[in-house]
Amino acid sequence: MSRASGPGRDAAPGVVYLVGTGPGDPDLLTVKALRLIGQAEVVLYDNLVSREIMALVPGTAERVYVGKQRARHTVRQEAINTLLVLHARRGKRVLRLKAGDPFVFGRGGEEIETLSAQGVPFEVVPGITAALGVAAYAGIPLTHRDYAQSCVFVTGNLRDGSIDLDWEALARPRQTVVIYMGFANLPALCGALVAHGMSPSMPAAIVQQGTTPGQKVVTGTLADLAERATAAGLAPPTLIIVGDVVRLRGRLSWFEPGGDAQPPAEALRSTA
Ligand code: SAH
């Protein structure tokens, strides 16, 4: 598929690809994401898109950093939406790179609403969301016949510091709870789950920079996870996983950050 680009009498309209880049390990990009990155003319990216993935962007592409600060989200988001439209109107193939999946806590919906309203063509390319990538690399299956029949993803970035999650629903038995953006509120989140009926001895894990050489996993219980995370000196981005499935990590952990975690090509071929 190729599309004319650049200015000209009948310049093709630009196009925006909203691309999920997965949780960090560049090997977790989809084939489509990798192809589009190689063809990009303008790339808008933020903090969580890993350096290794940015290294795949062609040297000829314009790179626009649109990292966000937590406090001034709304204004910044509008500016990003506008930038996407402006670059596409220049006839460019624009890539909006988003960590994980664009439609999971990624504001992807808001960005393409603007494109749609302005008549700019766009495509959405799904990515591996942090919950899936991080759980896999931490050796924690999100569901398991013996431990969890359901799994919920929530944001721990609580509006105005107030806790407005549906705690009763989260505290249900045989369910795994995955909390994005919860680092700053870890003690409050663990406390609220216990206050709404979860056992203080419920296993829980917090994973920093999952799937990357910087991955660190701290496990504990709802009663002591926050303390352990502080003692280990963890820093965002982190993902919190709460549920009995965390017990499985002891047996299923396989990823050694910094080591050669990839199976050799021969191993892949022999199982094909
Ligand atoms: N759209 C993204 C989520 C963006 S919100 C996705 O689908 O994954 C940002 C939050 O994602 C972070 O605060 C953190 O909770 C989580 N996250 C993203 N990448 C991560 C990683 N490599 N390790 C741990 N948490 C990660």
Side-chain angles (χ1 to χ4, degrees):
M1 187 181 76
S2 75
R3 180 185 273 270
S5 63
R9 251 181 318 143
D10 296 306
V15 56
V16 175
Y17 297 99
L18 187 62
V19 176
T21 60
D25 180 352
D27 280 358
L28 294 179
L29 284 171
T30 62
V31 173
K32 186 165 184 179
L34 186 61
R35 174 170 60 76
L36 291 172
I37 287 173
Q39 298 168 344
E41 293 176 309
V42 180
V43 174
L44 280 81
Y45 67 102
D46 45 45
N47 334 26
L48 279 178
V49 175
S50 71
R51 203 176 297 176
E52 290 86 347
I53 287 170
M54 285 308 295
L56 301 170
V57 171
T60 49
E62 258 176 79
R63 291 166 165 74
V64 186
Y65 175 71
V66 291
K68 285 184 230 164
Q69 252 129 52
R70 259 170 104 204
R72 302 193 50 207
H73 242 349
T74 319
V75 177
R76 298 280 306 168
Q77 187 61 53
E78 280 159 14
I80 295 169
N81 301 351
T82 309
L83 270 178
L84 290 172
V85 173
L86 290 178
H87 285 292
R89 291 238 166 101
R90 290 167 58 216
K92 300 292 184 187
R93 294 173 67 89
V94 183
L95 246 64
R96 170 64 170 117
L97 297 184
K98 293 252 171 202
D101 180 90
F103 280 1
V104 180
F105 304 123
R107 299 190 159 227
E110 294 169 44
E111 296 185 8
I112 59 175
E113 248 176 66
T114 308
L115 298 174
S116 167
Q118 301 284 326
V120 174
F122 61 85
E123 283 187 30
V124 182
V125 181
I128 294 185
T129 189
L132 305 186
V134 170
Y137 278 53
I140 302 173
L142 294 177
T143 66
H144 186 286
R145 281 192 295 171
D146 297 336
Y147 299 108
Q149 279 69 49
S150 65
C151 175
V152 288
F153 299 171
V154 295
T155 168
N157 190 2
L158 311 170
R159 200 167 284 184
D160 309 326
S162 65
I163 299 184
D164 60 358
L165 291 171
D166 182 352
W167 295 108
E168 274 77 22
L170 296 186
R172 276 189 199 133
R174 306 179 74 75
Q175 171 170 269
T176 306
V177 179
V178 180
I179 308 173
Y180 288 68
M181 295 172 277
F183 183 79
N185 297 310
L186 182 58
L189 291 161
C190 291
L193 287 171
V194 172
H196 289 83
M198 264 195 196
S199 163
S201 62
M202 176 62 84
I206 178 164
V207 184
Q208 170 188 297
Q209 288 178 38
T211 82
T212 75
Q215 173 170 307
K216 280 191 191 155
V217 184
V218 173
T219 54
T221 63
L222 284 178
D224 66 11
L225 188 69
E227 206 178 297
R228 285 169 181 253
T230 308
L234 294 197
T238 63
L239 195 78
I240 301 159
I241 304 177
V242 180
D244 286 311
V245 288
V246 171
R247 297 179 201 283
L248 293 162
R249 173 174 157 78
R251 278 180 279 143
L252 304 184
S253 163
W254 59 273
F255 177 60
E256 313 244 340
D260 180 12
Q262 304 300 322
E266 299 74 52
L268 290 176
R269 231 177 283 133
S270 66
T271 55

